[in-house]
Amino acid sequence: MKKILILIVCLVSSFGNVLANNKPEYNDKDINNIINLLTVEQKARLLVGCLGSDNGVSHRVAGAAGYSFFIDSLGIPSINLADGPVGVRISPVSSKKKYTSYSTCFPSSTALAATWSENMAWLEGNAIGGEAKAYGIDIILTPGINIMRNPLCGRNFEYFSEDPRLAGIMGSAMINGIQDKGIGASLKHFVANNQQTGKLYNDARISLRALREIYLKGFEICIKNSDPWTVMGSYNKIGGKYTQANPELLKTILRDEWGYTGLVMTDWYKKRDTSDQLNGGTDLMMPGEQSQVDEIVVGVKNGRISEATLNESVKYMLKLIFKSISYKGWQYNEAPDLAGNAELARKIATEGMVLLKNDSSFLPIPENTKIALFGITAYKSIAGGTGSSNVNKPHIIDLSTGLEKAGYTLNDRLKGLYTKYMEFQNDLLDKHPESTDWEKISYYRTVIPEMDLSKAESIIESEAKKSDMALIVIGRGSGEESDRRLEGDFYLTPEEKLMIEKVSSQFHSLGKKVAVIMNVCGVMEMNSWRDKTDAILLAWFPGQECGVAIADVISGKVNPSGKLPMTFPVDYFDVPSSRNFPMVGKTKDGKNFDYTNYEEGIWIGYRYFNTVNLSVAYPFGYGLSYTGFSFGEPKLERKKDKWVATIRVTNTGEVSGKEVVQLYVSAPQTSIQKPSSELKAFGKTRDLKPGESEIIKLQFSDYDIASFDEDNSRWFTSKGTYLLSFGSSSRDFKATVSFNINKDKSWKVHDVLKPIEKVNVMKLSVKR
Ligand code: BGC
């Protein structure tokens, strides 16, 4: 009793001075004591968040996505949660404050994944964590590591890859970067949030093998490698139950199998049955409403929620609060390093750009080249996608500005034409005349439809005469809330096709070259038009420094070293999941809306294309460089329970550059059909000077190469001979070694999360 009194005194005296330092550190026992002091109403209040406008917030940061409730009498402060994947999404506040609350807009998660550099992911996370800390944000709602199951998912740009290992490793590095700043990350959206259409209720019907190997694997890697402070559930269902109320997912797998001890929260707004959610393993309802508090109180009274369940969630919540900067005494005393972070955003953007084509080493382009710059997004570049990952950035540097800064000459007439067209379009689309400037930069009119050049023959002709080359930019936006369309989105619009057609033929007829920059969210159809161009650089959504970052690569200041984190198929219908993905515009009912059958099973991306040996436009892991690399003799050693592989990479060209080593494992065939090869590890060299080399060391375990054996609910690694290939892409293996596993190995897990109806998973007829 004495101890509790001391605790109360301590807690109460610390409150009222929430920003003071030297807060007591609580251990589990203290937290249990605090729980004993709380009423059921207070416990319920802690587990239901609130919005900044509510009275329950001890300090608010304008524009944060949500807050937890504070308990004044016990010195428990609110914590603030803000998006997201490319930076801290808050609103700028009044000029009375000594700081500006613009946040750096970093490259999208896809662009970050394309760096294949854990260091870059750590740096981006750490910088976002730093800005969060400066603005008083406790938890950053990122990373989203859902699998890019289908090229049309509207949120793919917020995700990392079609491959769970790449997504998991890059996601872990980002989480570690954020959390090393003392800010919590939120691993989301757990799990199978792979389409926007019907996302609030869609039941993802997935075979247990695909669920474990593809959809859960990235999350498993992040939980084990980086221990995120929080996990956010997804909106959809799995096994016929909402993920956020699914104990098989949140308790059996996340807590029991993976040992997770952080907090689980809901995704935003879509209120479900609160008792079901608590019983199912969700601890915090976001952003929360009073009716959920009432439901918890009633649920405890009528026995739907046990006190033990309630206390367990409160324990996770208190542990989180006591780790937070709000509890530890955060103050407005540290302005974020926006200038330094802008430089970092630029660097990461360049490192993620993928050189897809470079005939006759046309790129890089020398300074002073006269460039005819075509395409609306050359003058209004796209920094990122729309929705919750958008941030209030200080600026977006468009490509035309970036090129001029880099010393290129742009033709004034063309620039004038695009500027006028843009003004016209802005007037047309200006549905929000009341918006402030920052809103205009951040939210609206990210993509203006391409200009119709069908009557512009003479302009193109005179440009071709006056300029040394043409640069065409293709832009494509994407956002939360809707999936992408096929026509005019995955495929080029008629105006874009015409622009490429006309500009290329005019310039080529004069012996001048044409390069294309793709300022796009993700996968596009390219086979039908790429031959008309001499070079293609995939810049993704590169963040606010877009224009200067692209110019860095075009000019050769930075040698591109990005690699594709997903496959670019020849056509959309080559993608197996296209048979089970909602086509925008079709009836919203039943199949693909209420439920989606993941009939492709594990055959996602390169796992499918490489196994059946189908042509693709660009394979997973692909990306060119301005230099060349050779791979030496690989070595493989068994060290304790790990396989450790090393290989020397040498820069054989004439300029400095970085190369990614991708380690693929081909397993012996057993009754479980395996992909021809699967990525198990990767590493990137430092910037190697011509002639310089570096030994890259990569490792994996027997568990990492296991497949999921549904019939026996276990991970299984069969004995036999395995091939280990060191690739520059998933279709370009430079060296191979073999190794033996002498006896079968297995790891038993729970038989949970069965789809409510059996999924007829496609079988591949391939002879290996
Ligand atoms: C999104 C989340 C986001 C949350 C808060 C939801 O609509 O799905 O990714 O973190 O909003 O803004």
Side-chain angles (χ1 to χ4, degrees), residues 637-662:
E637 283 176 284
R638 180 80 188 187
K639 285 197 178 156
K640 292 190 183 148
D641 58 346
K642 293 258 190 263
W643 294 100
V644 181
T646 47
I647 194 159
R648 180 181 290 278
V649 179
T650 307
N651 182 347
T652 54
E654 283 163 15
V655 290
S656 302
K658 300 181 182 178
E659 172 65 315
V660 176
V661 179
Q662 305 168 29

Side-chain angles (χ1 to χ4, degrees), residues 180-434:
D180 285 352
K181 281 278 189 216
I183 300 297
S186 188
L187 179 63
K188 67 187 187 183
H189 309 87
F190 192 50
V191 63
N193 183 254
N194 305 113
Q195 62 183 69
Q196 285 296 288
T197 313
K199 70 171 178 183
L200 298 177
Y201 50 84
N202 180 270
D203 182 23
R205 296 184 181 169
I206 310 178
S207 70
L208 293 183
R209 180 179 180 199
L211 186 62
R212 292 274 183 171
E213 286 186 25
I214 306 289
Y215 297 100
L216 287 170
K217 189 46 97 179
F219 288 94
E220 181 185 350
I221 292 171
C222 284
I223 297 294
K224 291 180 178 167
N225 290 356
S226 59
D227 199 12
W229 290 12
T230 73
V231 167
M232 185 194 291
S234 55
Y235 291 124
N236 53 282
K237 295 176 194 152
I238 188 100
K241 268 205 175 109
Y242 285 114
T243 56
Q244 305 180 357
N246 196 325
E248 293 188 344
L249 178 70
L250 301 180
K251 293 190 167 174
T252 311
I253 292 185
L254 181 64
R255 299 236 186 250
D256 299 348
E257 289 186 9
W258 299 348
Y260 182 61
T261 57
L263 175 122
V264 178
M265 68 172 101
T266 62
D267 197 347
W268 260 233
Y269 292 114
K270 289 302 156 217
K271 184 176 168 297
R272 316 285 189 206
D273 183 302
T274 314
S275 304
D276 275 358
Q277 284 178 310
L278 269 182
N279 289 327
T282 295
D283 307 304
L284 174 66
M285 319 297 144
M286 288 307 296
E289 51 184 76
Q290 181 59 41
S291 66
Q292 290 167 301
V293 179
D294 301 340
E295 278 175 43
I296 296 176
V297 173
V298 171
V300 173
K301 267 194 200 130
N302 67 21
R304 271 193 77 199
I305 303 168
S306 71
E307 285 248 19
T309 299
L310 184 71
N311 289 347
E312 183 76 359
S313 288
V314 173
K315 182 184 80 190
Y316 292 127
M317 188 62 199
L318 287 176
K319 273 173 73 177
L320 180 68
I321 293 172
F322 294 141
K323 281 204 276 196
S324 70
I325 55 166
S326 286
Y327 173 72
K328 286 187 175 163
W330 167 80
Q331 304 191 26
Y332 284 98
N333 61 2
E334 193 190 331
D337 179 12
L338 292 181
N341 287 346
E343 273 310 300
L344 179 65
R346 175 175 179 171
K347 188 178 155 134
I348 298 171
T350 59
E351 183 126 356
M353 289 184 196
V354 183
L355 184 62
L356 293 176
K357 175 173 181 176
N358 197 16
D359 287 357
S360 332
S361 301
F362 169 47
L363 299 179
I365 307 164
E367 215 179 311
N368 296 324
T369 300
K370 278 193 219 133
I371 300 177
L373 187 60
F374 291 91
I376 191 70
T377 38
Y379 301 89
K380 190 176 190 329
S381 297
I382 311 172
T386 56
S388 62
S389 81
N390 191 9
V391 304
N392 300 313
K393 45 194 124 5
H395 57 247
I396 299 170
I397 303 182
D398 65 64
L399 182 58
S400 63
T401 308
L403 291 173
E404 284 175 336
K405 280 187 180 203
Y408 296 111
T409 310
L410 301 184
N411 182 279
D412 280 348
R413 185 169 171 216
L414 208 51
K415 194 171 168 184
L417 192 69
Y418 275 103
T419 310
K420 268 203 199 114
Y421 172 75
M422 236 159 33
E423 279 167 11
F424 170 71
Q425 285 291 337
N426 272 335
D427 287 346
L428 270 185
L429 295 172
D430 198 357
K431 297 198 187 82
H432 302 274
E434 74 287 359

Side-chain angles (χ1 to χ4, degrees), residues 436-500:
T436 58
D437 279 351
W438 67 264
E439 284 171 326
K440 282 181 182 154
I441 290 177
S442 295
Y443 290 120
Y444 306 122
R445 292 175 291 274
T446 38
V447 190
I448 288 174
E450 195 47 71
M451 188 154 74
D452 177 7
L453 295 179
S454 56
K455 304 254 164 25
E457 300 279 358
S458 65
I459 296 178
I460 302 173
E461 199 183 324
S462 78
E463 285 303 313
K465 282 186 191 140
K466 281 187 293 186
S467 318
D468 300 323
M469 62 164 289
L471 204 55
I472 300 176
V473 185
I474 298 295
R476 196 59 91 245
S478 193
E480 193 176 332
E481 302 306 342
S482 61
D483 288 315
R484 294 175 60 199
R485 289 166 294 116
L486 259 189
E487 293 305 327
D489 186 345
F490 180 78
Y491 300 121
L492 294 185
T493 63
E495 291 77 18
E496 289 167 336
K497 280 186 202 153
L498 189 117
M499 171 168 67
I500 292 179

